[in-house]
Amino acid sequence: MNAPARPSAPSTTARRAPQAIHEGFLAHRRYRWAWIAALLAGSSVLLYALDDPWPRPNGGTALGYALGTLSAGLIVWLSLLGIRKRRFTDGPWSLKAWVSAHVWLGLALAIIATLHAGFQFGWNVHTLAWALMMGVILSGVWGVVLYQRLPRQLSDNRATASERAMAAALAESDRALEAAARPLGDREAALVRDALATPAVGRSLGSRLAGRVPRCGTAAALRALPEGDPELAPLRDLLAARSVLLARIRTNARLKTWLQVWLLVHVPLTVALLAALLAHIVSVFFYW
Amino acid sequence: MEPSEELLDVAIVGSGPAGLAAAARAARRGMRHLLLEKTDHLADTIFRYQKGKHVMATPPQLLLRCDLAFEAGARETVLARWAEDAAAAGIAVRHHAEVTEISGTRGDFTLGLADGTRIRAAHVVLAIGTQGNPNLLKIPGVGAPGAPVVQYTLDDPAAFVDEHIVVVGSGDAGIENALGLAADPAQGNHVTLLNRSADFAKAKDANVKALMAARDAGRIAVLTETAPNRLEAGHMVVDTRDGEARLRCDRVIARLGSAPPRAFVEKAGVAFTSAAREAFPLLSPQFETSVPGLHVIGALAGYPLIKHCLNQGHDVIEFIAGNTDLRPADEPILERVFAGLQPARPVDDWIAFLRARVSIFRPVSPLQMRELLLDATVRRYAAGEVVFVKNDVGASLFAIAEGAVEVEIDPGPPRRTATIGEGSIVGEVGLISGRRRGATVRAATPAILVELPRTAALRLIGTVPDAGAEVDRITTTRLLLQIFQSGLVAEDLAPILETARTVTARAGEAIVTEGETGDDMFVIRRGSCTVEKRIGGRPVFLRYLPAGSYFGEMAVLDGTPRTATVRAAIRSELIRLDGAAFRRLFEARPELRARTLAEMAARRALNAFIEERKDRFGSAVDLYSETAAFLVENGLGEATDALLIDERLCVGCDNCEKACADSHDGLSRLDREAGRTFAYLHVPTSCRHCEHPHCMTDCPPDAIRRGPDGEVSINDSCIGCGNCVRHCPYGVIRMDSPPPRKPGLLSWLLLGRGPGPGEPPKAWAKAERARLRTEAPPKKAVKCDMCAGKAGGPACVRACPTGAAIRVSPETFLALAGRRD
Ligand SMILES: Cc1cc2nc3c(=O)[nH]c(=O)nc-3n(C[C@H](O)[C@H](O)[C@H](O)COP(=O)(O)OP(=O)(O)OC[C@H]3O[C@@H](n4cnc5c(N)ncnc54)[C@H](O)[C@@H]3O)c2cc1C
Ligand code: HEM
Ligand code: SF4
Ligand code: SF4
């Protein structure tokens, strides 16, 4: 046995980025952005320690200005991810690289901006901007943790089925239940009707995050039908299969909701932060 | 009935564009003619396009010359115009006239119709297209009074209520009909599907699953290993494994496939170019078959575009009427093909020149040559001029009509080259494997080369068996010289090549089996194979062999048993070379064997390595093997570049789809969610850019091409016929029309205008069109083009925030299978 006889030409993928295959956004290019961020934060700390301003470190010193400008630039750039993510222009950019830089530089920002503030906090618009920034950063960390853990669970839960296959299976289950209940009595028919009437996935954010639907008709029907009755056995089997399917669909919806819900914190806080940042800069330069 | 007295000048069978144009010409010329059409309307194929379909008029450079007007437009407009023009020309047409038999020869043909009528004609023009006839249900009781109605098509499943319907046939058509009939329980139909065999091997997976679900839900009765026996009043009697059974039955829908018209045409005595499925009738430049006076034109002759059909209808009548001066309609195009060559010579001379010089053109008829050259490039090269460069993507084939070329085997130093002389071909490796060029080729002397695009070259190989055999002979010789480098020359190989046989293998079939003895050697001509070895009782996946690879050469050298099993990954064609012939060669030249053995030592090292470690393989190897098998099963084995999603990273944001849509006319060419998953690797519904794209099989305007980056893409000449959708086994092509332009990103972000990034919902597109008062453009085939020509490469990969979306070629997907967590 042997390799192909033709000289093996470099594949297109190889020309692109061979190592990219194994790397997620955190590890992008062997943690290039982690190093850069560490360098940036490290040198900021070093300069801060070496600097001996009078009367005390704050945003008004030379280093304070430098760190402040850097922080503001970073914040604006970090916010631009929202645009980059949706502008699919040609060109050698990769969103993965952007997210990688976003995450690591965003973490560095926590240090740089705090140094810029010189650990001076109070009840004013300046500290509000800092707090909002920390809120954005913390929600970002939360997002990264979710991005690291949930995709696998999502995949495990779906196993080999797709969402569409699950939906089709549910529609199939609807029909089978209807057919099975038709010859049975009023009580059974009512139970099945309730089971069919319960939505597969909860409508409120809370029930989606919990992955449960209050008063699930399928579960109720299973509880209400006696186990031993041979006449009801086929109906019970259908309901049992349906409850397994529903559990899967709900877990799927739960995980997907969690993967998105943190952005509902991250993005509005970003908007608030940008407003506060503007107020901070304006007040510093015009009312100082 | 007696043959009618009158002898027609010409009988024209089939009223598609080809037959209709022929009838119009015959009428204008005042010939005694009759157009025979099996249905009750003209041009059945076009009649059956979906309502309002936009009929396209390609190729644009071809001039139309016929008595019917034709320009691109709605199906209804085209048909109405033809009906008018046909009437104006005064054609004689007979509907409900299915020709079932043709006998005789020039001057005295007899055509038998299904209703028993006989018609006599001096000439016959066959223009029946390629639709064929549905296979009939041949059991007693069909058509008997009171027996169930038997029908072969199902136009509207909603038309039947409260009936007992038996669907016969286990292909996609049968399954889809059965599902359609049972879809709405309110119709109250009792649907039964009969399948002669135990499984549904012929049908698409999705259809089989839907059928099984419908059966489990009690909506359709599925009877396998059951065949219809006879029809009785209100019943069908069937043969099951356990004997006869009687089914209630009001209606039978028989979907038994259709017989291509070839058998019917052959019965009239017409010879075909080969036994291959792609073959066409053997024709003279005047469209005359091997039966004098019997002509074939249109799709049946291998020209599926309406414009070609119309022109041929005109031309064939001119030829029959004795007009020998008529130049073919393609003459101006061919003149342009040869325009760059000096001295200027007539097209026919150039064609004769090429056929005399080039070995693969020798068996090709002048008419086929014309067709072949329409897409070709013929030009002179100066000595030293580059023909193609190593690693270029290109799959065209070059034939050397004059001079010689030089293949750079090693750029050196020292530089090593091999010369290929006049009459031979070069570039065949790309043609076979669909991959990049393996070496740089230059003209060694001033030369004339003919460049055939891949599809034209493949058509040549498929339809002219002797040309195909010649290509095989040349490629196999070169491959063997490359494998057994040791001073072997082409002459040594002649006796071995004599033994070459082409064998086909089904997907999954073992070609050689580990531990068996056998000394034949194999070269993969089409398709691909996987190599596996049993270790600790389990098969372990070793390697993937694409087209152009070979195996079995070790047994040839030393006669040891096979060290691994090689299976076809997909349906494959292999060239088998006889081991005995090799042995004779090596016996005569023992020094050759010794040297070859030494050169191959490195290749054996891997096998030895695996042998030695076999106890240490554990579950990691199992996972690797299973993952590799999964990927091969999902078409990655024949892919050149496919999208995979690492589900350990995918957050389901669908940014990949949105990017695809927004960088391609607003239509996404990938469906991330659909498709199968194994070990966190998800194969979405997206083009694999197959080595041998199935989608290219039957594209009338030849709109699907392999581009400069290896991408398989569909160009603007697509006529929207949907053939590619049916041929692609991975369901990645869809027919759709691009939505109107969306408002920009910022006006969406800040003002909430428009539907936002990604493919807009159909409802938005419809409302927007209503607002703009524009029509939807015609639907065309849409698929991934690998973002060819876009800086930065595929948008799906660039737009994935997490790195989950990756594109891989077979060389890298196995590395992926072996990845650890
Ligand atoms: C969905 C679809 C869309 C297409 N779109 C386009 C397009 O936009 N532009 C384009 O150029 N091409 C298009 N094509 C291709 C084109 O329609 C056909 O290749 C063309 O119609 C072939 O013409 P023909 O005259 O050779 O045969 P056909 O048009 O197939 O006509 C054959 C006729 O012969 C009759 N017949 C068959 N057997 C017998 C018999 N034994 N006795 C008597 N009569 C018989 C049939 O009823 C039929 O009317 C499309 C094809 C399809 C399927
Ligand atoms: C002040 C600092 C930050 C700002 C202003 C900011 C802003 C943003 C914005 C605007 C988006 C785009 C969201 C969208 O449009 O969907 C985003 C996404 C994201 N941010 Fe931040 N961010 C900051 C810090 C961080 C930090 C520190 C982390 C992680 C440690 C982080 C992790 C992420 C992630 C994972 C995404 C999602 C990427 C995607 O799914 O497309 N962010 N951020
Ligand atoms: S469209 Fe289908 S057949 Fe054609 S190259 Fe892509 S995957 Fe292969
Ligand atoms: S862009 Fe990446 S993370 Fe988002 S759905 Fe596609 S593959 Fe998954």
Side-chain angles (χ1 to χ4, degrees), chain A residues 78-79 81 85-86 102 106 109 136-137 140 147 262 266-267 270:
Chain A
L78 288 163
S79 309
L81 182 64
K85 187 178 173 181
R86 298 178 175 85
H102 180 95
L109 173 69
V136 176
I137 292 173
Y147 273 24
W262 71 274
H266 199 66
V267 176
T270 298

Side-chain angles (χ1 to χ4, degrees), chain B residues 159-326:
Chain B
F160 307 107
V161 286
D162 290 329
E163 285 196 26
H164 291 260
I165 304 177
V166 179
V167 180
V168 187
S170 57
D172 286 316
I175 296 180
E176 281 163 16
N177 284 177
L179 289 170
L181 288 164
D184 184 2
Q187 274 172 253
N189 290 321
H190 298 261
V191 183
T192 307
L193 183 88
L194 299 192
N195 179 0
R196 201 179 282 276
S197 56
D199 53 15
F200 290 87
K202 277 183 295 182
K204 279 208 272 307
D205 217 33
N207 272 336
V208 179
K209 286 213 186 86
L211 178 71
M212 291 308 149
R215 179 196 62 188
D216 296 343
R219 288 183 295 130
I220 294 179
V222 178
L223 303 180
T224 52
E225 294 179 78
T226 304
N229 176 304
R230 62 183 182 276
L231 297 182
E232 292 173 354
H235 287 87
M236 176 190 270
V237 180
V238 295
D239 292 325
T240 71
R241 251 190 343 188
D242 319 308
E244 274 187 6
R246 259 164 75 87
L247 307 176
R248 271 280 280 126
C249 175
D250 307 312
R251 183 179 301 277
V252 181
I253 300 195
R255 300 310 303 257
L256 306 167
S258 65
R262 175 163 180 169
F264 165 64
V265 179
E266 276 182 325
K267 221 171 62 192
V270 172
F272 274 66
T273 52
S274 82
R277 207 172 48 85
E278 305 90 346
F280 298 115
L282 205 57
L283 296 180
S284 76
Q286 284 75 41
F287 305 104
E288 195 165 6
T289 63
S290 54
V291 179
L294 177 56
H295 297 70
V296 169
I297 55 172
L300 182 62
Y303 297 87
L305 288 175
I306 293 170
K307 256 180 151 178
H308 281 140
C309 295
L310 291 168
N311 281 351
Q312 292 178 356
H314 170 279
D315 293 359
V316 76
I317 294 297
E318 289 295 314
F319 292 136
I320 290 174
N323 178 352
T324 47
D325 299 332
L326 186 71

Side-chain angles (χ1 to χ4, degrees), chain A residues 61-113:
Chain A
T61 68
L63 182 65
Y65 265 128
L67 293 177
T69 312
L70 179 62
S71 303
L74 274 175
I75 289 177
V76 170
W77 180 81
L78 288 163
S79 309
L80 286 178
L81 182 64
I83 309 271
R84 174 75 288 178
K85 187 178 173 181
R86 298 178 175 85
R87 262 184 69 91
F88 307 109
T89 50
D90 291 3
W93 58 276
S94 123
L95 190 62
K96 177 176 107 176
W98 270 71
V99 172
S100 186
H102 180 95
V103 166
W104 294 115
L105 294 180
L107 286 173
L109 173 69
I111 297 170
I112 299 169

